[in-house]
């Protein structure tokens, strides 16, 4: 046993540095990945994040860190594959997709929260026509609700999760709404959700509170909120867990200070109206942990 | 002033150029404005029409496309996508409004996030149908209506408001561009005008400077020069800087100044020569302004002077001062004149002629101008002329003119007092011979001396006169009696007869006097003078050195001589003269060698002897009128004789002194010889010795005749001066012994000696000798003994008519042959 222990110690001694080297490997270049919000517009992501990528590339270069080309994935699953393949070192994405990629790869760690479209965090609201008899989530059983899109966090995943938490079954709309569940359809956009509810194509809709504010006033006047969800951070910047600490620190530092110079602010604004990046607070991490728990209970694909 | 000329010309040109420039710019500007305005309107119209047409057409054709494109979003009520589509279409078209309606024609979206028209109903034209869009034109653009559907299923409509703002902007831009162009053009025109005006100003300045240089300055110089010329400074010479009119003017001014100077010098010189000067009298100063010429005349120097009138008046005697002052002050009238004698400051007396008249208009009193001239020499000359007209220069005696006046006065006086006048006509005897022999100088001295003695005898100077030559007259008027005349005549003859000492020799002369009495012998002056002349000739005829009174017989002879002269003139006109020929015979063989032509007058009363008319012909000079005829007749006759076989026949023609002294003689002889064909040696001209004496034309003719080959013969040799020098000097061919020697050659030993000497002289000088007047055989024998070559005379034949002589010659030839 002593031999085994000794051998184990030797192996452990040898394995430590090797593992450390393996875990904290330094890539030839750091690659940032984004998921294109519009698969039909491949250039959208590039137009959104190109400026920020370029700015960061310049900043990191002065630190001796090379920034690789922007990796644009057409879906979360693709991004997961790229993470697994080691082709991506950082990801900018919403909370739910980030946590899903985290859970499925074990290689991602949320690091920064972004002020996006004027919001650091948001809640999703459930709305119906003002003249609708629906008063609460419970009244939605046997009704149809309009979500935005399968990828949407605030207008699909979060309300879906809230409905589930509320004990309602949620299914895609078949020919007829299921009497015991809430049938959902995708309107394609938050704006469409409002019109669909107003036009009667759906009985209710759900999106984040910012979208509610952006809904045309006269349309909004004909609608009514029946429920709101728990707050959710607006947008996250995550890094691979095995990224070199110095590189990690350098990237986080640059992004956290990006709003301090004009070029950085302009690049942030282009990237989906981001105002700044901030490190995650404890409260933020608690919230993330909450949603990590919910996602853990969710089926793979809503 | 001349400076302003160039400025004025430059200013006029500048104003003209500015005016033309302004006009041109205005026309250009107006034309450009008009063209741009018209073009802008046309462009606007065309643009609107074309654009409206194009857009409407495009919209109509795009309606179906848009319908299909909007179908799915509308069907799905995908407002976001509809908005994106609207936004996309807005990027393509100038959309002002874009409404998408549902099937109930209510607004689904207007493309904006607010979508304020959401739910509003919108009217759609009834003609709108699938595939049939409708476009309607409104004030602010075009509205396109089309249906959204698939096949015949209509799910909604679209209303698109298309703005013509782009067109309006284009039009506005076009107008703005046009305005900018117009503004730029205006600015350019303004700059052009400013630049042109500056250029005009510069050109005007340069032109002014140039005109000043080429015109004004020369004109100013010429004006100054002209003023100097007017002031009398003619020395200035203008510079001729150009070859144009200005240069020509300067050159002309210089020429004018030179001419003025020359004229002035000529005038001054003329005044100096004419001893002329001008003056100006000024009443206020009572002074005279005298020209240089006037000063010279008055002996006051050679420069112009202003002198008090009194200074000039002091030069003349007191009686003339008033006349002089009157002329200077213009008192005699408009044109006063006077002549005064003054004593110049240098003491010389001069006669001055003064003329004066008021200066300017006659009413302008107070200033007179005039001339004064030294006429001393003229007056002396006039006096001399008067003297020469009335007095004989040589003797100082009254001449024929004054004599006639004096005689006329004496005749009138005699008529008044019942008295009479005796006229003595004196002519020196043989004065011509003295004159010829001793020369004119001695002759003139003799005449002076004679005049002096006559004046001494006659007493009063004007009683004696010289009519010419050696002819003198004496008028005796008180008492003018015959006795007084006789006494004075004797005294005069006595005075003349006293020897004269002239030229270192003693000269004794005499005179002949004719006396006539008025009114006894004649009542008119001419007749009286003719009478005295006739009486004088009578005295000469009767021995000279005496005096004779005019008689009735003399009067008759005088009339006869006048009648003869008249008859001779008529005879010449009627060709009543003819030539007779006296044969000349050679002693050696008694052969006729020629003949002497002798003039005969066959008057209506019969043949007149030469002694009766030849002297009259010579005296009156009518003889010269006969010379051509005589020579022609003689030569023609000689030619005829030669044709008759008289070989060597020659004809001798006598020419008097008057005839021989004619300048036409030589050409006349040459012409006659040529006409007759007679050889020159067949013609012999006979002249007397005196003809050759001291007469240049005679000597010239003698030499000329010899040169022609004509023979020259001296007639009456031995009776005159018989100058051997002439024989030597002229090629005399023949000496003719005067008949007076031949006549008594048998009884007068001297005549025979003289004849012999003449013959010997001729032989020695290689001349021929011919004796005339041979009438007897004894005379012929003596002459043959003396060696005489030829003879003529009645012994052989008197003068014969031409035909008679030819017959005589033929008969004589026959006799000698027989």
């Amino acid at each position: 046993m002593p031999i085994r222990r000794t051998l184990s110690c030797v192996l452990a001694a040898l394995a430590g540095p090797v593992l450390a080297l393996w875990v904290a490997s330094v890539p030839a270049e750091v690659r940032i990945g984004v998921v294109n919000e519009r698969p039909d517009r491949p250039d959208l992501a590039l137009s959104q994040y190109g400026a920020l990528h370029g700015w960061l590339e310049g900043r990191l270069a002065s630190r001796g860190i090379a920034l690789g080309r922007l990796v644009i994935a057409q879906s979360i699953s693709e991004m997961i594959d790229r993470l697994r393949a080691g082709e991506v070192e950082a990801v900018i994405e919403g909370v739910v997709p980030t946590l899903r990629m985290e859970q499925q790869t074990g290689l991602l760690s949320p690091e920064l929260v972004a002020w996006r479209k004027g919001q650091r965090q948001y809640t999703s609201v459930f709305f119906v026509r003002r003249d609708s008899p629906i008063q609460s989530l419970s009244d939605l059983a046997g009704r149809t609700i309009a979500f935005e899109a399968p990828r949407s966090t605030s207008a699909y995943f979060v309300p879906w999760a809230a409905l589930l938490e509320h004990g309602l079954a949620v299914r895609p709309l078949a020919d007829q709404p299921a009497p015991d569940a809430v049938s959902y359809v995708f309107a394609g956009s938050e704006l469409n959700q409002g019109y669909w509810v107003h036009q009667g194509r759906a009985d209710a809709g759900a999106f984040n509170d910012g979208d509610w504010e952006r809904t045309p006033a006269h349309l909004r006047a004909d609608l009514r909120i029946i429920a709101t969800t728990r707050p959710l951070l607006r947008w996250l910047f995550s890094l691979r867990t095995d990224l070199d600490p110095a590189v990690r620190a350098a990237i986080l530092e640059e992004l956290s200070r990006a709003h301090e110079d004009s070029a950085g602010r302009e690049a942030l604004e282009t990237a989906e109206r981001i105002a700044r990046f901030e490190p995650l607070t404890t409260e933020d991490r608690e919230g993330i942990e909450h949603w990590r728990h919910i996602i853990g209970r969710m089926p793979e694909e809503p | 002033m001349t400076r302003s000329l160039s400025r004025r010309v430059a200013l006029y040109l500048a104003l003209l150029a500015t005016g033309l420039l302004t006009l041109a710019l205005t026309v250009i500007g107006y034309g450009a404005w008009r063209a741009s305005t018209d073009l802008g309107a046309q462009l606007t119209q065309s643009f609107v029409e074309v654009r409206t047409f194009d857009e409407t057409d495009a919209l109509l054709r795009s309606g179906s496309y848009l319908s299909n494109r909007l179908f799915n979003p509308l069907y799905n009520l995908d407002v976001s996508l509809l908005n994106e589509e609207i936004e996309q279409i807005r990027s393509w078209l100038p959309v002002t409004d874009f409404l998408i309606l549902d099937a109930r024609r209510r607004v689904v979206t207007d493309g904006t996030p607010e979508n304020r028209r959401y739910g509003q109903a919108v009217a759609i034209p009834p003609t709108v149908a699938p595939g049939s869009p409708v476009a309607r034109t409104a004030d602010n653009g075009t509205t396109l209506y089309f249906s959204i559907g698939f096949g015949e299923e209509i799910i909604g409509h679209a209303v698109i408001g298309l703005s013509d703002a782009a067109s309006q902007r284009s039009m506005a831009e076009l107008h703005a561009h046009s305005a900018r162009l117009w503004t730029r053009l205006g600015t350019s025109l303004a700059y052009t005008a400013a630049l042109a005006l500056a250029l005009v100003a510069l050109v005007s300045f340069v032109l002014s400077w140039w005109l000043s240089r080429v015109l004004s300055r020369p004109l100013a110089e010429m004006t100054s020069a002209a003023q100097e010329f007017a002031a009398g400074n003619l020395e200035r010479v203008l510079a001729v800087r150009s070859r144009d009119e200005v240069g020509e003017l300067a050159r002309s001014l210089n020429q004018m100044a030179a001419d003025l100077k020359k004229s002035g010098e000529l005038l001054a010189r003329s005044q100096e020569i004419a001893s002329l000067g001008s003056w100006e009298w000024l009443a206020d100063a009572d002074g005279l302004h005298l020209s240089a010429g006037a000063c010279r005349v008055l002996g006051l120097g050679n420069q112009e002077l202003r002198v008090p009138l009194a200074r000039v008046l002091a030069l003349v005697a007191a009686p003339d001062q008033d006349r002089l002052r009157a002329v200077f002050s213009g008192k005699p009238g408009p044109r006063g004149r006077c002549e005064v004698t003054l004593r110049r400051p240098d003491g010389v007396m001069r006669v001055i002629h003064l003329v004066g008249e008021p200066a300017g208009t006659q009413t302008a009193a107070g200033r007179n101008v005039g001339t004064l001239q030294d006429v001393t020499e003229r007056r002396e000359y006039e006096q001399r002329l008067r003297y020469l007209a009335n007095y004989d220069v040589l003797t100082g005696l009254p001449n024929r003119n004054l004599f006639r006046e004096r005689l006329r006065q004496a005749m009138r006086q005699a008529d008044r007092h019942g008295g009479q006048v005796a006229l003595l006509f004196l002519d020196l005897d043989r004065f011509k011979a003295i004159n010829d022999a001793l020369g004119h100088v001695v002759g003139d001295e003799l005449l002076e001396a004679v005049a002096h003695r006559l004046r001494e005898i006659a007493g009063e100077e004007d009683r004696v006169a010289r009519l010419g030559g050696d002819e003198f007259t004496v008028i005796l008027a008180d008492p003018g009696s015959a006795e007084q005349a006789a006494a004075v005549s004797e005294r005069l003859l006595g005075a003349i007869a006293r020897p004269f000492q002239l030229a270192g020799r003693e000269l004794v002369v005499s005179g002949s006097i004719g006396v006539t009495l008025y009114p006894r012998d004649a009542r008119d002056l001419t007749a009286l003078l003719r009478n005295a002349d006739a009486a004088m000739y009578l005295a000469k005829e009767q021995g000279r050195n005496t005096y004779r009174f005019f008689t009735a017989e003399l009067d008759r002879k005088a009339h006869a001589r006048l009648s003869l002269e008249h008859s001779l003139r008529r005879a010449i006109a009627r060709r009543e003269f003819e030539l007779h020929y006296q044969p000349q015979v050679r002693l050696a063989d008694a052969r006729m060698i020629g003949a002497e032509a002798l003039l005969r007058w066959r008057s209506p009363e019969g043949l007149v002897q030469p002694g009766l008319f030849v002297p009259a012909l010579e005296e009156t000079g009518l003889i010269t009128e006969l010379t051509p005829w005589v020579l022609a007749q003689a030569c023609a006759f000689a030619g005829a004789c030669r044709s008759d076989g008289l070989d060597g026949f020659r004809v001798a023609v006598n020419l008097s002194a008057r005839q021989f002294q004619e300048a036409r003689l030589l050409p006349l002889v040459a012409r006659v010889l040529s006409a007759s064909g007679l050889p020159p040696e067949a013609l012999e001209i006979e002249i007397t010795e005196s003809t050759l004496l001291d007469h240049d034309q005679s000597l010239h003719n003698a030499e000329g005749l010899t040169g022609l080959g004509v023979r020259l013969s001296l007639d009456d040799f031995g009776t005159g001066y018989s100058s051997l020098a002439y024989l030597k000097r002229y090629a005399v061919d023949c000496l003719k012994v005067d008949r007076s020697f031949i006549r008594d050659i048998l009884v007068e030993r001297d005549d025979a000696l003289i004849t012999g000497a003449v013959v010997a002289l001729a032989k020695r000088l290689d001349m021929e000798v011919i004796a005339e007047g041979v009438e007897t055989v004894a005379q012929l024998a003596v002459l043959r003994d003396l060696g005489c070559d030829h003879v003529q005379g009645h012994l052989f034949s008197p003068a014969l008519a031409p035909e008679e002589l030819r017959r005589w010659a033929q008969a004589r030839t026959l006799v000698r042959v027989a």
Side-chain angles (χ1 to χ4, degrees):
Chain A
M1 268 321 271
I3 294 173
R4 287 184 61 187
R5 191 180 304 143
T6 303
L7 182 59
S8 299
C9 289
V10 171
L11 287 174
L14 291 171
V18 171
L19 285 173
L21 283 172
W22 178 75
V23 171
S25 63
V26 179
E29 53 186 16
V30 178
R31 289 153 295 190
I32 298 175
V34 295
V35 178
N36 199 352
E37 294 182 2
R38 294 284 297 268
D40 58 330
R41 290 181 57 191
D43 59 335
L44 179 61
L46 197 59
S47 64
Q48 289 174 331
Y49 294 100
L52 179 61
H53 182 267
W55 174 85
L56 183 62
E57 183 179 27
R59 302 295 294 186
L60 292 178
S62 63
R63 290 173 177 253
I65 299 171
L67 193 63
R69 60 188 292 271
L70 184 67
V71 177
I72 303 173
Q74 298 302 318
S75 62
I76 295 299
S77 58
E78 181 185 348
M79 184 60 75
I80 289 170
D81 291 340
R82 287 178 174 268
L83 282 169
R84 286 174 176 160
E87 297 174 355
V88 175
E89 280 72 35
V91 174
I92 302 175
E93 191 47 80
V95 173
V96 174
T98 299
L99 293 179
R100 191 176 296 280
M101 285 184 284
E102 176 195 67
Q103 286 180 351
Q104 292 193 19
T105 63
L107 294 173
L108 207 57
S109 168
E111 298 294 341
L112 300 173
V113 60
W115 281 79
R116 189 184 181 203
K117 296 182 182 177
Q119 292 177 317
R120 190 173 188 277
Q121 62 182 16
Y122 63 89
T123 61
S124 290
V125 298
F126 289 86
F127 60 92
V128 297
R129 277 183 64 102
R130 185 166 294 281
D131 54 358
S132 172
I134 300 170
Q135 299 298 325
S136 67
L137 294 181
S138 301
D139 296 335
L140 291 176
R143 302 283 185 163
T144 304
I145 187 168
F147 295 140
E148 181 204 359
R151 275 194 58 257
S152 175
T153 298
S154 61
Y156 172 49
F157 178 77
V158 173
W160 177 76
L163 288 174
L164 286 183
E165 278 189 309
H166 201 69
L168 292 172
V170 181
R171 298 191 189 93
L173 178 65
D175 293 338
Q176 292 295 323
D180 55 345
V182 179
S183 298
Y184 65 88
V185 292
F186 292 113
S189 69
E190 291 87 348
L191 186 63
N192 286 350
Q193 289 177 267
Y195 284 107
W196 279 32
V197 173
H198 191 267
Q199 291 281 330
R201 284 204 174 200
D203 298 312
F207 43 41
N208 72 44
D209 50 1
D211 293 327
W212 172 256
E213 295 299 327
R214 286 187 288 275
T215 299
H218 62 279
L219 183 65
R220 196 168 60 213
D222 286 342
L223 300 177
R224 171 167 50 85
I225 294 174
I226 57 172
T228 59
T229 62
R230 181 186 176 98
L232 190 72
L233 292 177
R234 189 69 180 88
W235 209 247
L236 293 177
F237 178 78
S238 307
L239 290 172
R240 283 182 73 101
T241 55
D242 54 358
L243 190 62
D244 179 78
V247 174
R248 172 186 296 271
I251 292 172
L252 295 178
E253 181 182 356
E254 290 296 337
L255 285 177
S256 297
R257 299 174 59 182
H259 62 279
E260 294 179 1
D261 68 80
S262 60
R265 281 197 301 274
E266 189 173 345
L268 292 174
E269 178 66 21
T270 305
E272 283 290 284
R273 296 165 59 188
I274 294 173
R276 58 189 297 180
F277 282 102
E278 292 177 349
L280 294 173
T281 63
T282 303
E283 188 177 354
D284 293 336
R285 292 190 181 279
E286 289 175 359
I288 289 172
E289 185 56 33
H290 167 75
W291 287 107
R292 187 179 286 128
H293 174 72
I294 290 177
I295 290 170
R297 294 191 303 152
M298 292 286 173
E300 185 69 17
E301 192 69 32
Chain B
M1 183 183 71
T2 50
R3 289 282 179 185
S4 66
L5 173 65
S6 61
R7 291 201 191 103
R8 201 160 58 239
V9 171
L11 179 62
Y12 289 159
L13 289 176
L15 289 176
L16 179 63
T18 303
L20 291 176
L21 185 65
T22 304
L23 180 63
L25 289 175
T26 303
V27 170
I28 291 171
Y30 176 76
W33 173 80
R34 184 66 181 270
S36 65
T37 303
D38 294 345
L39 183 61
Q42 293 171 4
L43 281 175
T44 301
Q45 182 69 21
S46 300
F47 187 82
V48 168
E49 290 176 355
V50 170
R51 187 173 181 90
T52 301
F53 176 79
D54 289 347
E55 287 183 350
T56 303
D57 184 60
L59 289 174
L60 290 176
R61 281 190 276 114
S62 60
S64 297
Y65 167 75
L66 294 178
S67 173
N68 293 332
R69 188 177 177 96
L70 295 175
F71 177 81
N72 287 329
L74 182 60
Y75 185 86
N76 292 327
L77 192 60
D78 189 345
V79 177
S80 294
L81 188 53
L82 287 173
N83 286 350
E84 288 182 7
E85 292 292 348
I86 291 172
E87 189 65 28
Q88 186 69 43
I89 293 169
R90 279 182 186 277
S91 66
W92 298 341
L93 297 173
V95 175
T96 55
D97 295 303
F98 201 133
L99 300 177
I100 295 176
L101 314 179
D102 57 17
R104 296 175 299 158
R105 300 183 177 179
R106 293 184 179 277
V107 175
V108 174
T109 178
D110 60 6
T112 64
E114 297 76 18
N115 198 13
R116 289 190 174 86
R117 300 189 64 182
Y118 174 75
Q120 293 180 358
V122 175
I124 297 297
T127 55
V128 174
S132 299
V134 173
R136 289 192 172 172
T137 302
D139 292 339
N140 56 349
T142 304
T143 303
L144 179 68
Y145 301 89
F146 60 88
S147 300
I148 301 172
F150 191 84
E152 293 301 321
E153 182 184 1
I154 297 174
I155 63 170
H157 299 87
V159 179
I160 304 176
L162 293 164
S163 173
D164 61 353
S167 300
Q168 295 297 336
R169 281 197 301 275
S170 297
M171 288 299 101
E173 183 63 27
L174 179 64
H175 288 301
H177 187 66
S178 176
R180 283 197 299 275
L181 284 178
W182 174 241
T183 302
R184 196 179 305 163
L185 176 62
T187 305
S188 299
L189 286 177
Y191 283 142
T192 303
L195 184 63
L197 285 174
L199 192 62
V200 166
L202 178 63
V203 169
S204 300
F205 175 78
V206 172
L207 184 63
S208 174
W209 173 82
W210 181 75
L211 284 174
S212 171
R213 181 180 175 82
V214 303
L215 192 63
S216 297
R217 193 184 306 169
L219 284 177
E221 289 178 359
M222 283 186 268
T223 302
S224 170
Q227 290 169 349
E228 288 193 34
F229 294 161
N233 178 18
L234 299 174
E235 299 298 329
R236 177 164 177 181
V237 177
L238 283 165
V240 180
R241 297 191 179 88
S242 60
R243 303 179 67 178
D244 52 13
E245 291 83 349
V246 175
E248 188 61 31
L249 180 58
R251 194 176 294 107
S252 299
L253 279 174
N254 285 338
Q255 184 63 44
M256 183 192 76
D259 291 345
L260 279 175
K261 184 179 177 184
K262 188 175 179 182
S263 299
E265 290 172 353
L266 282 174
L267 179 61
R269 181 63 184 146
S270 300
Q271 288 192 357
E272 188 177 345
I273 292 172
S275 298
L276 187 68
S278 61
W279 54 264
E280 181 182 11
W281 174 79
L282 300 171
D284 51 356
D286 197 20
L288 288 174
H289 180 207
L290 300 173
S291 70
C295 290
R296 272 196 304 275
V297 169
L298 297 175
L300 300 177
N302 290 323
Q303 298 295 325
E304 291 187 10
L305 282 179
R306 285 187 180 279
V307 298
L309 177 60
R311 182 177 174 188
V312 176
L313 295 179
L315 298 176
V316 302
D320 289 338
Q321 289 186 357
D322 290 340
R323 292 197 299 129
L324 200 57
R325 173 183 285 280
V327 174
F328 278 133
S329 60
K331 288 178 182 174
R335 191 172 179 83
R337 60 182 69 231
C338 73
E339 192 164 304
V340 296
T341 301
L342 57 78
R343 180 188 295 277
R344 296 197 318 204
D346 57 2
V348 177
M349 300 298 292
R350 307 298 291 177
V351 180
I352 306 298
H353 185 78
L354 199 69
V355 177
E357 62 182 20
T361 61
Q362 295 190 2
T363 56
R367 193 166 79 90
N368 294 321
V369 294
T371 60
L372 53 83
Q373 186 175 19
D374 187 337
V375 295
T376 307
E377 281 75 18
R378 184 195 300 176
R379 294 294 174 260
E380 290 175 353
Y381 184 64
E382 289 172 352
Q383 192 173 358
R384 177 69 176 163
L385 280 180
R386 280 196 297 274
Y387 178 81
L388 291 175
N390 293 300
Y391 290 89
D392 174 40
V393 176
L394 180 62
T395 62
L397 294 175
N399 60 10
R400 181 183 293 270
N401 187 41
L402 186 54
F403 155 74
R404 294 171 69 90
E405 182 62 27
R406 291 283 185 269
L407 179 57
R408 204 171 283 115
Q409 288 176 357
M411 288 163 66
R412 284 198 294 269
Q413 192 171 8
D415 291 341
R416 282 197 296 271
H417 298 98
Q420 59 180 1
V421 177
L423 173 61
L424 283 62
F425 193 106
L426 184 148
D427 186 275
L428 295 179
D429 297 332
R430 299 183 182 276
F431 176 74
K432 187 171 184 301
I434 295 171
N435 213 14
D436 290 344
L438 303 180
H440 291 295
V441 175
V442 175
D444 288 347
E445 290 178 356
L446 175 61
L447 291 174
E448 283 187 79
V450 169
H452 181 69
R453 291 185 183 180
L454 294 179
R455 197 181 294 124
E456 284 179 344
I457 300 301
E460 296 179 34
E461 290 185 355
D462 289 352
R463 292 169 68 179
V464 182
R466 181 187 175 215
L467 301 190
D470 56 343
E471 296 174 345
F472 298 88
T473 58
V474 178
I475 299 170
L476 301 174
D478 187 16
S481 63
E483 293 74 14
Q484 184 196 12
V488 170
S489 295
E490 287 181 356
R491 287 168 58 197
L492 291 174
L493 292 174
I496 293 171
R498 292 202 311 272
F500 292 92
Q501 296 297 325
L502 296 173
R505 71 178 71 178
E506 184 177 279
L507 199 60
V508 177
V509 296
S510 63
S512 297
I513 298 175
V515 182
T516 186
L517 297 175
Y518 174 85
R520 189 196 70 181
D521 297 338
R523 294 200 59 83
D524 66 275
L525 189 146
T526 303
L528 206 56
L529 191 57
R530 189 172 62 242
N531 290 348
D533 185 55
M536 183 271 292
Y537 273 106
L538 179 62
K540 282 187 181 294
E541 288 176 2
Q542 294 183 352
R544 300 189 174 93
N545 194 25
T546 184
Y547 68 92
R548 290 291 182 270
F549 279 86
F550 178 76
T551 62
E553 177 61 18
L554 281 176
D555 185 45
R556 190 189 59 76
K557 288 184 176 177
H559 279 90
R561 192 159 58 243
L562 281 175
S563 176
L564 176 61
E565 182 179 341
H566 177 71
S567 297
L568 288 172
R569 291 184 185 278
R570 189 177 58 194
I572 291 173
R574 293 180 178 179
R575 299 185 177 179
E576 293 175 353
F577 292 100
E578 57 188 46
L579 288 181
H580 286 194
Y581 299 90
Q582 185 173 38
Q584 295 175 333
V585 177
R586 187 162 55 208
L587 270 179
D589 54 3
R591 190 182 181 87
M592 184 178 70
I593 58 160
E596 180 183 8
L598 297 166
L599 188 64
R600 295 294 183 263
W601 177 17
R602 190 172 299 278
S603 74
E605 290 79 23
L607 197 62
V608 183
Q609 292 301 309
L612 297 178
F613 69 90
V614 170
L617 280 175
E618 292 182 347
E619 187 179 336
T620 57
L622 292 172
I623 189 78
T624 59
E625 298 183 21
L626 291 171
T627 306
W629 177 81
V630 167
L631 286 171
Q633 288 292 312
C635 289
F637 176 71
C641 290
R642 288 192 169 217
S643 299
D644 289 344
L646 296 176
D647 296 336
F649 184 86
R650 63 194 186 204
V651 62
V653 178
N654 290 279
L655 292 181
S656 69
R658 283 199 173 189
Q659 290 173 295
F660 200 74
Q661 290 167 1
E662 283 191 284
R664 63 172 181 171
L665 180 62
L666 285 179
L668 176 62
V669 170
R671 192 165 60 247
V672 167
L673 286 174
S674 176
S676 64
L678 193 69
E681 65 272 13
L683 176 63
E684 186 172 273
I685 301 297
E686 290 189 10
I687 55 174
T688 62
E689 290 178 274
S690 60
T691 300
L692 290 174
L693 295 177
D694 286 338
H695 198 285
D696 294 340
Q697 187 64 48
S698 296
L699 299 175
H700 174 73
N701 286 345
E703 291 173 347
L705 289 174
T706 304
L708 286 175
V710 175
R711 290 171 59 87
L712 201 60
S713 173
L714 280 185
D715 200 6
D716 301 339
F717 191 76
T719 59
Y721 297 99
S722 299
S723 170
L724 300 180
Y726 287 125
L727 298 181
K728 182 180 179 183
R729 183 173 176 183
Y730 302 107
V732 176
D733 299 290
C734 181
L735 295 180
K736 202 165 187 180
V737 182
D738 187 69
R739 68 175 65 245
S740 62
F741 297 110
I742 305 302
R743 186 177 57 221
D744 298 328
I745 195 171
L746 296 175
V747 293
E748 291 289 341
R749 188 170 181 270
D750 290 345
D751 290 346
L753 289 175
I754 289 171
T755 303
V758 170
V759 171
L761 177 64
K763 294 298 182 185
R764 296 297 289 256
L765 293 176
D766 197 20
M767 297 177 184
E768 292 181 353
V769 179
I770 184 167
E772 60 180 353
V774 178
E775 296 180 350
T776 65
V777 176
Q779 290 171 336
L780 182 65
V782 171
L783 289 171
R784 182 176 288 123
D785 291 341
L786 290 175
C788 186
D789 296 318
H790 309 110
V791 295
Q792 72 176 78
H794 285 266
L795 177 62
F796 296 95
S797 171
L800 299 173
E803 293 305 317
E804 292 176 345
L805 178 65
R806 292 171 74 178
R807 284 196 295 271
W808 180 85
Q810 289 176 354
R812 185 175 179 78
T813 303
L814 291 174
V815 169
R816 193 169 61 245
V817 170

